[in-house]
Amino acid sequence: MQLYNTLSAKERAALLEEAGEDRLTLSFYQYARIGNPKLFRNHLFIAWNEMDVLGRIYVAHEGINAQLSVPAKNFETFKNFLDGIYFLKDVRLNIAIEQDLKSFLKLKVKVRKKIVADGLNDKTFDVRNKGVHVDAEKFNKLIADPDTVLVDMRNHYESEIGHFEGAITPDVDTFRDSLPIIEKDLSDFKEDKNLVMYCTGGIRCEKASAYYKHKGFKKVYQLEGGIIEYARQVKNKGLENKFIGKNFVFDHRRGERISEEVIANCHQCGQPCDTHVNCANEACHLLFIQCEACAEKMEKCCSAECMEVIHLPYEEQKKLRSGKHNSNKIFKKGRSEKLKFKK
């Protein structure tokens, strides 16, 4: 029984390019009680592998968090499969505005302690006592209210390239870092202000809204479906778009353009740019913003040191990225001192 990928990302990319078939990039999440996450994980992998579904999925006792690429021709089969699982029947699917054949190149279904790393002890509060879900139209009305405080529940590298007008954008590296900071900074507004939150697809706000209600905030709201669903409703209903820039997404696209404004800068030269890349040196893999001119000049690297590394023999490069001592150096997100114009 196959429970793992048999193709490399490079091999998969070539097959997708050759097939040229339409695919849908989508995401969904659901909090639920899953008794045996490992068994559920295997069930998903076997079924989705047969449907040629690709993506990154986390399964835990508390539920599922999924970002996927589904062949358009298999969408109905995929949807029927979800509807056959009692806690996923009619689950909201956030379908991307911009589609890409190669948004995901492998099927990875992983068992985790939590579907989002929030650092919270769920036993200390009622996670079911969530904030009020609002659609795009209601959201626009709420954020126009002077008694509303709008908070971006994402990380610094996400809000740097795009955010809602007037939103508080915490300068944090992780979701868990933002929770106590926001509570402290907004402690004077617990009784009389509308606390309105948003994130990429809604999952972070699900837990955060319950947490803030537990902490004494009286009027808590969250954007249903996050920025992804907001952009879709704005387009379909002809609403005024209050989001400026790009929405950072966690697949190979790294961003969906929501408005034409470019609000970020190349981290190497300072010119207007909102294109995220990963350093070509796999032992670095730094996520940062790089314009086309700098990409050509720096050979898609974040620094001169990394440029030297990518010209070393493959085996030497492999040694540089091996070992536990590199674990905290790889996959940094825009914080390197080598970047002159980082946020």
Side-chain angles (χ1 to χ4, degrees):
M1 185 181 296
Q2 182 188 334
L3 293 171
Y4 57 90
N5 289 278
T6 58
L7 296 175
S8 69
K10 186 176 181 180
E11 290 170 328
R12 177 71 71 176
L15 286 177
L16 292 174
E17 191 72 34
E18 182 181 345
E21 296 179 341
D22 291 339
R23 300 182 70 92
L24 297 173
T25 300
L26 57 89
S27 62
F28 71 88
Y29 67 88
Q30 186 70 282
Y31 281 99
R33 293 182 182 275
I34 299 177
N36 191 330
K38 185 177 181 180
L39 184 64
F40 184 57
R41 177 265 173 204
N42 293 346
H43 175 59
L44 294 180
F45 190 98
I46 293 168
W48 287 347
N49 189 55
E50 290 180 355
M51 299 177 206
D52 195 25
V53 171
L54 304 172
R56 185 189 305 111
I57 302 94
Y58 298 142
V59 176
H61 284 291
E62 68 173 3
I64 180 172
N65 181 14
Q67 294 89 39
L68 306 165
S69 171
V70 181
K73 66 181 182 181
N74 293 341
F75 178 75
E76 287 302 318
T77 303
F78 172 77
K79 182 65 169 65
N80 290 336
F81 172 80
L82 291 184
D83 287 342
I85 301 171
Y86 78 94
F87 62 85
L88 293 180
K89 181 174 174 56
D90 296 326
V91 66
R92 185 187 61 249
L93 301 178
N94 292 325
I95 300 177
I97 298 296
E98 298 175 356
Q99 296 298 334
D100 190 314
L101 280 178
K102 304 174 187 175
S103 57
F104 290 100
L105 297 175
K106 289 188 177 184
L107 175 59
K108 297 181 180 180
V109 189
K110 298 183 178 182
V111 175
R112 292 285 179 88
K113 290 184 178 180
K114 288 196 170 190
I115 56 177
V116 175
D118 52 39
L120 298 174
N121 182 356
D122 295 350
K123 295 180 181 179
T124 61
F125 65 101
D126 186 355
V127 296
R128 298 167 300 178
N129 186 25
K130 297 175 290 190
V132 178
H133 290 72
V134 296
D135 62 12
E137 187 173 3
K138 177 66 174 176
F139 180 83
N140 279 357
K141 291 178 180 178
L142 269 172
I143 64 176
D145 187 335
D147 286 327
T148 289
V149 178
L150 179 61
V151 181
D152 192 322
M153 297 305 301
R154 303 172 302 153
N155 305 323
H156 75 91
Y157 58 91
E158 298 172 81
S159 60
E160 183 176 3
I161 63 170
H163 53 76
F164 280 103
E165 298 173 11
I168 295 171
T169 56
D171 185 23
V172 295
D173 292 324
T174 67
F175 174 51
R176 70 173 65 193
D177 290 340
S178 68
L179 293 170
I181 292 174
I182 293 170
E183 182 195 353
K184 180 181 178 181
D185 290 349
L186 302 183
S187 59
D188 292 338
F189 306 126
K190 289 184 177 182
E191 296 288 338
D192 55 350
K193 295 285 187 180
N194 302 314
L195 174 59
V196 181
M197 296 176 290
Y198 69 89
C199 57
T200 309
I203 188 170
R204 282 175 273 191
C205 294
E206 287 287 299
K207 188 68 70 70
S209 66
Y211 173 76
Y212 288 127
K213 289 186 73 174
H214 168 69
K215 288 294 183 176
F217 287 87
K218 303 300 183 184
K219 296 183 258 186
V220 181
Y221 301 86
Q222 60 193 87
L223 178 59
E224 186 170 16
I227 302 163
I228 297 173
E229 180 61 20
Y230 176 87
R232 180 170 297 282
Q233 290 183 20
V234 163
K235 182 179 180 180
N236 292 342
K237 297 180 180 181
L239 303 174
E240 183 179 1
N241 176 34
K242 295 292 187 178
F243 190 93
I244 52 175
K246 268 185 178 179
N247 179 29
F248 186 95
V249 292
F250 295 88
D251 58 57
H252 287 280
R253 297 171 300 149
R254 300 189 185 91
E256 283 190 331
R257 183 157 300 286
I258 308 299
S259 78
E260 293 305 313
E261 293 96 336
V262 176
I263 66 171
N265 303 289
C266 173
H267 286 166
Q268 291 176 317
C269 71
Q271 291 299 309
C273 179
D274 56 10
T275 301
H276 273 105
V277 300
N278 287 109
C279 180
N281 173 15
E282 291 294 330
C284 171
H285 204 72
L286 178 74
L287 181 73
F288 68 107
I289 298 174
Q290 186 181 55
C291 68
E292 291 184 5
C294 287
E296 182 177 356
K297 176 183 176 182
M298 300 297 295
E299 298 183 75
K300 299 183 179 180
C301 291
C302 70
S303 64
E305 292 86 348
C306 284
M307 288 175 65
E308 293 178 6
V309 171
I310 65 171
H311 291 290
L312 293 174
Y314 175 75
E315 289 302 320
E316 289 188 38
Q317 292 188 49
K318 191 174 179 181
K319 288 180 182 178
L320 288 173
R321 62 177 183 264
S322 65
K324 292 184 177 179
H325 65 283
N326 275 332
S327 62
N328 291 326
K329 297 178 182 178
I330 299 176
F331 302 110
K332 293 179 294 183
K333 298 178 173 67
R335 296 294 201 186
S336 174
E337 293 301 322
K338 298 173 183 177
L339 300 173
K340 183 178 179 181
F341 293 93
K342 68 179 185 298
K343 182 179 177 183

PDB file of all heavy atoms in Angstrom, residues 279-283 295-318 320-321:
ATOM      1  N   CYS A 279      16.112  31.984  -1.359  1.00  0.00           N
ATOM      2  CA  CYS A 279      17.510  32.032  -1.788  1.00  0.00           C
ATOM      3  C   CYS A 279      17.873  30.733  -2.507  1.00  0.00           C
ATOM      4  O   CYS A 279      17.535  29.633  -2.060  1.00  0.00           O
ATOM      5  CB  CYS A 279      18.421  32.242  -0.586  1.00  0.00           C
ATOM      6  SG  CYS A 279      20.181  32.306  -1.012  1.00  0.00           S
ATOM      7  N   ALA A 280      18.573  30.863  -3.632  1.00  0.00           N
ATOM      8  CA  ALA A 280      18.958  29.704  -4.445  1.00  0.00           C
ATOM      9  C   ALA A 280      19.911  28.768  -3.720  1.00  0.00           C
ATOM     10  O   ALA A 280      20.036  27.599  -4.092  1.00  0.00           O
ATOM     11  CB  ALA A 280      19.578  30.174  -5.760  1.00  0.00           C
ATOM     12  N   ASN A 281      20.584  29.278  -2.698  1.00  0.00           N
ATOM     13  CA  ASN A 281      21.441  28.422  -1.872  1.00  0.00           C
ATOM     14  C   ASN A 281      20.549  27.632  -0.921  1.00  0.00           C
ATOM     15  O   ASN A 281      19.985  28.192   0.022  1.00  0.00           O
ATOM     16  CB  ASN A 281      22.445  29.274  -1.101  1.00  0.00           C
ATOM     17  CG  ASN A 281      23.249  28.468  -0.086  1.00  0.00           C
ATOM     18  OD1 ASN A 281      23.277  27.230  -0.135  1.00  0.00           O
ATOM     19  ND2 ASN A 281      23.882  29.161   0.837  1.00  0.00           N
ATOM     20  N   GLU A 282      20.403  26.335  -1.156  1.00  0.00           N
ATOM     21  CA  GLU A 282      19.495  25.511  -0.360  1.00  0.00           C
ATOM     22  C   GLU A 282      19.906  25.430   1.101  1.00  0.00           C
ATOM     23  O   GLU A 282      19.092  25.101   1.966  1.00  0.00           O
ATOM     24  CB  GLU A 282      19.399  24.104  -0.954  1.00  0.00           C
ATOM     25  CG  GLU A 282      18.685  24.046  -2.301  1.00  0.00           C
ATOM     26  CD  GLU A 282      17.214  24.413  -2.178  1.00  0.00           C
ATOM     27  OE1 GLU A 282      16.621  24.175  -1.117  1.00  0.00           O
ATOM     28  OE2 GLU A 282      16.664  24.949  -3.155  1.00  0.00           O
ATOM     29  N   ALA A 283      21.178  25.705   1.413  1.00  0.00           N
ATOM     30  CA  ALA A 283      21.627  25.708   2.804  1.00  0.00           C
ATOM     31  C   ALA A 283      21.203  26.982   3.523  1.00  0.00           C
ATOM     32  O   ALA A 283      21.332  27.094   4.739  1.00  0.00           O
ATOM     33  CB  ALA A 283      23.145  25.551   2.876  1.00  0.00           C
ATOM     34  N   ALA A 295      17.606  39.768  -8.956  1.00  0.00           N
ATOM     35  CA  ALA A 295      17.624  38.317  -9.165  1.00  0.00           C
ATOM     36  C   ALA A 295      18.675  37.952 -10.204  1.00  0.00           C
ATOM     37  O   ALA A 295      19.404  36.956 -10.051  1.00  0.00           O
ATOM     38  CB  ALA A 295      16.253  37.829  -9.611  1.00  0.00           C
ATOM     39  N   GLU A 296      18.763  38.779 -11.252  1.00  0.00           N
ATOM     40  CA  GLU A 296      19.768  38.524 -12.295  1.00  0.00           C
ATOM     41  C   GLU A 296      21.172  38.815 -11.774  1.00  0.00           C
ATOM     42  O   GLU A 296      22.107  38.024 -11.976  1.00  0.00           O
ATOM     43  CB  GLU A 296      19.475  39.389 -13.514  1.00  0.00           C
ATOM     44  CG  GLU A 296      20.435  39.166 -14.657  1.00  0.00           C
ATOM     45  CD  GLU A 296      20.088  39.969 -15.897  1.00  0.00           C
ATOM     46  OE1 GLU A 296      19.039  40.660 -15.878  1.00  0.00           O
ATOM     47  OE2 GLU A 296      20.849  39.911 -16.877  1.00  0.00           O
ATOM     48  N   LYS A 297      21.315  39.932 -11.083  1.00  0.00           N
ATOM     49  CA  LYS A 297      22.622  40.338 -10.578  1.00  0.00           C
ATOM     50  C   LYS A 297      23.146  39.379  -9.511  1.00  0.00           C
ATOM     51  O   LYS A 297      24.338  39.035  -9.495  1.00  0.00           O
ATOM     52  CB  LYS A 297      22.520  41.750  -9.991  1.00  0.00           C
ATOM     53  CG  LYS A 297      23.789  42.260  -9.344  1.00  0.00           C
ATOM     54  CD  LYS A 297      23.562  43.633  -8.722  1.00  0.00           C
ATOM     55  CE  LYS A 297      24.803  44.113  -7.978  1.00  0.00           C
ATOM     56  NZ  LYS A 297      24.570  45.431  -7.333  1.00  0.00           N
ATOM     57  N   MET A 298      22.239  38.903  -8.625  1.00  0.00           N
ATOM     58  CA  MET A 298      22.647  38.072  -7.489  1.00  0.00           C
ATOM     59  C   MET A 298      22.416  36.578  -7.744  1.00  0.00           C
ATOM     60  O   MET A 298      22.552  35.772  -6.829  1.00  0.00           O
ATOM     61  CB  MET A 298      21.867  38.498  -6.235  1.00  0.00           C
ATOM     62  CG  MET A 298      22.066  39.936  -5.823  1.00  0.00           C
ATOM     63  SD  MET A 298      23.776  40.297  -5.360  1.00  0.00           S
ATOM     64  CE  MET A 298      23.966  39.274  -3.886  1.00  0.00           C
ATOM     65  N   GLU A 299      22.067  36.228  -8.962  1.00  0.00           N
ATOM     66  CA  GLU A 299      21.824  34.819  -9.325  1.00  0.00           C
ATOM     67  C   GLU A 299      20.802  34.163  -8.393  1.00  0.00           C
ATOM     68  O   GLU A 299      20.957  33.036  -7.966  1.00  0.00           O
ATOM     69  CB  GLU A 299      23.129  34.024  -9.329  1.00  0.00           C
ATOM     70  CG  GLU A 299      24.153  34.523 -10.338  1.00  0.00           C
ATOM     71  CD  GLU A 299      25.403  33.675 -10.379  1.00  0.00           C
ATOM     72  OE1 GLU A 299      25.330  32.573 -10.945  1.00  0.00           O
ATOM     73  OE2 GLU A 299      26.440  34.115  -9.827  1.00  0.00           O
ATOM     74  N   LYS A 300      19.757  34.946  -8.065  1.00  0.00           N
ATOM     75  CA  LYS A 300      18.651  34.497  -7.218  1.00  0.00           C
ATOM     76  C   LYS A 300      19.088  34.170  -5.784  1.00  0.00           C
ATOM     77  O   LYS A 300      18.418  33.404  -5.084  1.00  0.00           O
ATOM     78  CB  LYS A 300      17.933  33.304  -7.844  1.00  0.00           C
ATOM     79  CG  LYS A 300      17.328  33.608  -9.208  1.00  0.00           C
ATOM     80  CD  LYS A 300      16.572  32.423  -9.771  1.00  0.00           C
ATOM     81  CE  LYS A 300      15.971  32.768 -11.128  1.00  0.00           C
ATOM     82  NZ  LYS A 300      15.218  31.629 -11.704  1.00  0.00           N
ATOM     83  N   CYS A 301      20.172  34.773  -5.360  1.00  0.00           N
ATOM     84  CA  CYS A 301      20.683  34.560  -3.990  1.00  0.00           C
ATOM     85  C   CYS A 301      20.453  35.801  -3.136  1.00  0.00           C
ATOM     86  O   CYS A 301      20.249  36.902  -3.644  1.00  0.00           O
ATOM     87  CB  CYS A 301      22.174  34.242  -4.017  1.00  0.00           C
ATOM     88  SG  CYS A 301      22.563  32.619  -4.726  1.00  0.00           S
ATOM     89  N   CYS A 302      20.546  35.621  -1.822  1.00  0.00           N
ATOM     90  CA  CYS A 302      20.324  36.736  -0.894  1.00  0.00           C
ATOM     91  C   CYS A 302      21.602  37.491  -0.578  1.00  0.00           C
ATOM     92  O   CYS A 302      21.561  38.586  -0.030  1.00  0.00           O
ATOM     93  CB  CYS A 302      19.685  36.231   0.400  1.00  0.00           C
ATOM     94  SG  CYS A 302      20.802  35.239   1.436  1.00  0.00           S
ATOM     95  N   SER A 303      22.760  36.912  -0.914  1.00  0.00           N
ATOM     96  CA  SER A 303      24.030  37.529  -0.545  1.00  0.00           C
ATOM     97  C   SER A 303      25.160  37.015  -1.423  1.00  0.00           C
ATOM     98  O   SER A 303      25.015  36.000  -2.121  1.00  0.00           O
ATOM     99  CB  SER A 303      24.362  37.221   0.916  1.00  0.00           C
ATOM    100  OG  SER A 303      24.564  35.816   1.082  1.00  0.00           O
ATOM    101  N   ALA A 304      26.295  37.723  -1.377  1.00  0.00           N
ATOM    102  CA  ALA A 304      27.477  37.300  -2.134  1.00  0.00           C
ATOM    103  C   ALA A 304      27.983  35.952  -1.629  1.00  0.00           C
ATOM    104  O   ALA A 304      28.459  35.122  -2.409  1.00  0.00           O
ATOM    105  CB  ALA A 304      28.575  38.359  -2.012  1.00  0.00           C
ATOM    106  N   GLU A 305      27.867  35.731  -0.313  1.00  0.00           N
ATOM    107  CA  GLU A 305      28.308  34.449   0.269  1.00  0.00           C
ATOM    108  C   GLU A 305      27.510  33.280  -0.312  1.00  0.00           C
ATOM    109  O   GLU A 305      28.064  32.227  -0.628  1.00  0.00           O
ATOM    110  CB  GLU A 305      28.158  34.477   1.790  1.00  0.00           C
ATOM    111  CG  GLU A 305      29.104  35.428   2.510  1.00  0.00           C
ATOM    112  CD  GLU A 305      28.582  36.853   2.588  1.00  0.00           C
ATOM    113  OE1 GLU A 305      27.592  37.178   1.891  1.00  0.00           O
ATOM    114  OE2 GLU A 305      29.175  37.641   3.336  1.00  0.00           O
ATOM    115  N   CYS A 306      26.215  33.481  -0.455  1.00  0.00           N
ATOM    116  CA  CYS A 306      25.377  32.414  -1.008  1.00  0.00           C
ATOM    117  C   CYS A 306      25.649  32.211  -2.498  1.00  0.00           C
ATOM    118  O   CYS A 306      25.537  31.081  -3.003  1.00  0.00           O
ATOM    119  CB  CYS A 306      23.902  32.717  -0.763  1.00  0.00           C
ATOM    120  SG  CYS A 306      23.381  32.426   0.953  1.00  0.00           S
ATOM    121  N   MET A 307      26.015  33.268  -3.197  1.00  0.00           N
ATOM    122  CA  MET A 307      26.377  33.135  -4.601  1.00  0.00           C
ATOM    123  C   MET A 307      27.593  32.234  -4.755  1.00  0.00           C
ATOM    124  O   MET A 307      27.676  31.432  -5.700  1.00  0.00           O
ATOM    125  CB  MET A 307      26.657  34.508  -5.212  1.00  0.00           C
ATOM    126  CG  MET A 307      25.419  35.373  -5.425  1.00  0.00           C
ATOM    127  SD  MET A 307      25.840  37.025  -6.021  1.00  0.00           S
ATOM    128  CE  MET A 307      26.533  36.650  -7.636  1.00  0.00           C
ATOM    129  N   GLU A 308      28.529  32.351  -3.844  1.00  0.00           N
ATOM    130  CA  GLU A 308      29.715  31.493  -3.886  1.00  0.00           C
ATOM    131  C   GLU A 308      29.329  30.029  -3.662  1.00  0.00           C
ATOM    132  O   GLU A 308      29.847  29.128  -4.319  1.00  0.00           O
ATOM    133  CB  GLU A 308      30.729  31.935  -2.835  1.00  0.00           C
ATOM    134  CG  GLU A 308      31.347  33.302  -3.093  1.00  0.00           C
ATOM    135  CD  GLU A 308      32.314  33.708  -1.997  1.00  0.00           C
ATOM    136  OE1 GLU A 308      32.591  32.870  -1.104  1.00  0.00           O
ATOM    137  OE2 GLU A 308      32.804  34.853  -2.022  1.00  0.00           O
ATOM    138  N   VAL A 309      28.399  29.812  -2.749  1.00  0.00           N
ATOM    139  CA  VAL A 309      28.002  28.445  -2.400  1.00  0.00           C
ATOM    140  C   VAL A 309      27.360  27.721  -3.584  1.00  0.00           C
ATOM    141  O   VAL A 309      27.643  26.545  -3.825  1.00  0.00           O
ATOM    142  CB  VAL A 309      27.033  28.444  -1.195  1.00  0.00           C
ATOM    143  CG1 VAL A 309      26.443  27.050  -0.965  1.00  0.00           C
ATOM    144  CG2 VAL A 309      27.752  28.910   0.057  1.00  0.00           C
ATOM    145  N   ILE A 310      26.501  28.413  -4.329  1.00  0.00           N
ATOM    146  CA  ILE A 310      25.766  27.720  -5.401  1.00  0.00           C
ATOM    147  C   ILE A 310      26.673  27.280  -6.547  1.00  0.00           C
ATOM    148  O   ILE A 310      26.249  26.492  -7.404  1.00  0.00           O
ATOM    149  CB  ILE A 310      24.606  28.585  -5.965  1.00  0.00           C
ATOM    150  CG1 ILE A 310      25.124  29.841  -6.664  1.00  0.00           C
ATOM    151  CG2 ILE A 310      23.613  28.929  -4.869  1.00  0.00           C
ATOM    152  CD1 ILE A 310      24.050  30.606  -7.416  1.00  0.00           C
ATOM    153  N   HIS A 311      27.925  27.777  -6.554  1.00  0.00           N
ATOM    154  CA  HIS A 311      28.866  27.356  -7.590  1.00  0.00           C
ATOM    155  C   HIS A 311      29.789  26.234  -7.109  1.00  0.00           C
ATOM    156  O   HIS A 311      30.649  25.776  -7.866  1.00  0.00           O
ATOM    157  CB  HIS A 311      29.684  28.557  -8.072  1.00  0.00           C
ATOM    158  CG  HIS A 311      28.880  29.559  -8.834  1.00  0.00           C
ATOM    159  ND1 HIS A 311      28.374  29.316 -10.100  1.00  0.00           N
ATOM    160  CD2 HIS A 311      28.449  30.808  -8.495  1.00  0.00           C
ATOM    161  CE1 HIS A 311      27.692  30.370 -10.510  1.00  0.00           C
ATOM    162  NE2 HIS A 311      27.710  31.278  -9.565  1.00  0.00           N
ATOM    163  N   LEU A 312      29.607  25.798  -5.869  1.00  0.00           N
ATOM    164  CA  LEU A 312      30.383  24.672  -5.359  1.00  0.00           C
ATOM    165  C   LEU A 312      29.839  23.365  -5.931  1.00  0.00           C
ATOM    166  O   LEU A 312      28.670  23.300  -6.352  1.00  0.00           O
ATOM    167  CB  LEU A 312      30.289  24.628  -3.830  1.00  0.00           C
ATOM    168  CG  LEU A 312      30.940  25.771  -3.048  1.00  0.00           C
ATOM    169  CD1 LEU A 312      30.597  25.627  -1.559  1.00  0.00           C
ATOM    170  CD2 LEU A 312      32.444  25.790  -3.248  1.00  0.00           C
ATOM    171  N   PRO A 313      30.643  22.312  -5.942  1.00  0.00           N
ATOM    172  CA  PRO A 313      30.131  20.996  -6.354  1.00  0.00           C
ATOM    173  C   PRO A 313      28.940  20.596  -5.494  1.00  0.00           C
ATOM    174  O   PRO A 313      28.857  20.964  -4.318  1.00  0.00           O
ATOM    175  CB  PRO A 313      31.332  20.067  -6.124  1.00  0.00           C
ATOM    176  CG  PRO A 313      32.515  20.960  -6.211  1.00  0.00           C
ATOM    177  CD  PRO A 313      32.087  22.277  -5.632  1.00  0.00           C
ATOM    178  N   TYR A 314      28.012  19.848  -6.076  1.00  0.00           N
ATOM    179  CA  TYR A 314      26.759  19.480  -5.405  1.00  0.00           C
ATOM    180  C   TYR A 314      26.997  18.832  -4.045  1.00  0.00           C
ATOM    181  O   TYR A 314      26.322  19.149  -3.069  1.00  0.00           O
ATOM    182  CB  TYR A 314      25.937  18.542  -6.284  1.00  0.00           C
ATOM    183  CG  TYR A 314      24.694  18.026  -5.594  1.00  0.00           C
ATOM    184  CD1 TYR A 314      23.584  18.844  -5.421  1.00  0.00           C
ATOM    185  CD2 TYR A 314      24.644  16.728  -5.089  1.00  0.00           C
ATOM    186  CE1 TYR A 314      22.448  18.389  -4.773  1.00  0.00           C
ATOM    187  CE2 TYR A 314      23.509  16.259  -4.446  1.00  0.00           C
ATOM    188  CZ  TYR A 314      22.414  17.090  -4.294  1.00  0.00           C
ATOM    189  OH  TYR A 314      21.306  16.626  -3.642  1.00  0.00           O
ATOM    190  N   GLU A 315      27.957  17.918  -3.973  1.00  0.00           N
ATOM    191  CA  GLU A 315      28.204  17.207  -2.716  1.00  0.00           C
ATOM    192  C   GLU A 315      28.651  18.152  -1.606  1.00  0.00           C
ATOM    193  O   GLU A 315      28.304  17.966  -0.439  1.00  0.00           O
ATOM    194  CB  GLU A 315      29.242  16.094  -2.923  1.00  0.00           C
ATOM    195  CG  GLU A 315      28.740  14.904  -3.725  1.00  0.00           C
ATOM    196  CD  GLU A 315      27.515  14.267  -3.084  1.00  0.00           C
ATOM    197  OE1 GLU A 315      27.488  14.152  -1.836  1.00  0.00           O
ATOM    198  OE2 GLU A 315      26.580  13.893  -3.826  1.00  0.00           O
ATOM    199  N   GLU A 316      29.415  19.182  -1.959  1.00  0.00           N
ATOM    200  CA  GLU A 316      29.845  20.171  -0.959  1.00  0.00           C
ATOM    201  C   GLU A 316      28.654  21.016  -0.495  1.00  0.00           C
ATOM    202  O   GLU A 316      28.549  21.348   0.693  1.00  0.00           O
ATOM    203  CB  GLU A 316      30.943  21.067  -1.538  1.00  0.00           C
ATOM    204  CG  GLU A 316      32.270  20.365  -1.726  1.00  0.00           C
ATOM    205  CD  GLU A 316      33.372  21.336  -2.113  1.00  0.00           C
ATOM    206  OE1 GLU A 316      33.380  22.474  -1.571  1.00  0.00           O
ATOM    207  OE2 GLU A 316      34.217  20.971  -2.951  1.00  0.00           O
ATOM    208  N   GLN A 317      27.771  21.360  -1.422  1.00  0.00           N
ATOM    209  CA  GLN A 317      26.560  22.092  -1.055  1.00  0.00           C
ATOM    210  C   GLN A 317      25.694  21.257  -0.112  1.00  0.00           C
ATOM    211  O   GLN A 317      25.129  21.771   0.853  1.00  0.00           O
ATOM    212  CB  GLN A 317      25.748  22.451  -2.302  1.00  0.00           C
ATOM    213  CG  GLN A 317      26.396  23.470  -3.207  1.00  0.00           C
ATOM    214  CD  GLN A 317      25.465  23.921  -4.309  1.00  0.00           C
ATOM    215  OE1 GLN A 317      24.321  24.271  -4.065  1.00  0.00           O
ATOM    216  NE2 GLN A 317      25.959  23.910  -5.548  1.00  0.00           N
ATOM    217  N   LYS A 318      25.599  19.981  -0.414  1.00  0.00           N
ATOM    218  CA  LYS A 318      24.785  19.076   0.408  1.00  0.00           C
ATOM    219  C   LYS A 318      25.308  19.009   1.835  1.00  0.00           C
ATOM    220  O   LYS A 318      24.530  19.007   2.801  1.00  0.00           O
ATOM    221  CB  LYS A 318      24.788  17.689  -0.229  1.00  0.00           C
ATOM    222  CG  LYS A 318      23.772  16.725   0.360  1.00  0.00           C
ATOM    223  CD  LYS A 318      23.752  15.424  -0.423  1.00  0.00           C
ATOM    224  CE  LYS A 318      22.748  14.439   0.185  1.00  0.00           C
ATOM    225  NZ  LYS A 318      22.747  13.157  -0.582  1.00  0.00           N
ATOM    226  N   LEU A 320      26.856  21.340   3.445  1.00  0.00           N
ATOM    227  CA  LEU A 320      26.606  22.619   4.117  1.00  0.00           C
ATOM    228  C   LEU A 320      25.207  22.711   4.719  1.00  0.00           C
ATOM    229  O   LEU A 320      24.997  23.434   5.690  1.00  0.00           O
ATOM    230  CB  LEU A 320      26.800  23.775   3.132  1.00  0.00           C
ATOM    231  CG  LEU A 320      28.243  24.095   2.725  1.00  0.00           C
ATOM    232  CD1 LEU A 320      28.254  25.143   1.629  1.00  0.00           C
ATOM    233  CD2 LEU A 320      29.050  24.576   3.927  1.00  0.00           C
ATOM    234  N   ARG A 321      24.248  22.002   4.133  1.00  0.00           N
ATOM    235  CA  ARG A 321      22.889  22.100   4.653  1.00  0.00           C
ATOM    236  C   ARG A 321      22.479  20.906   5.516  1.00  0.00           C
ATOM    237  O   ARG A 321      21.329  20.804   5.925  1.00  0.00           O
ATOM    238  CB  ARG A 321      21.894  22.273   3.503  1.00  0.00           C
ATOM    239  CG  ARG A 321      21.807  21.148   2.509  1.00  0.00           C
ATOM    240  CD  ARG A 321      20.719  21.470   1.490  1.00  0.00           C
ATOM    241  NE  ARG A 321      20.520  20.406   0.544  1.00  0.00           N
ATOM    242  CZ  ARG A 321      21.067  20.341  -0.668  1.00  0.00           C
ATOM    243  NH1 ARG A 321      21.884  21.312  -1.056  1.00  0.00           N
ATOM    244  NH2 ARG A 321      20.824  19.335  -1.481  1.00  0.00           N
TER     245      ARG A 321
END
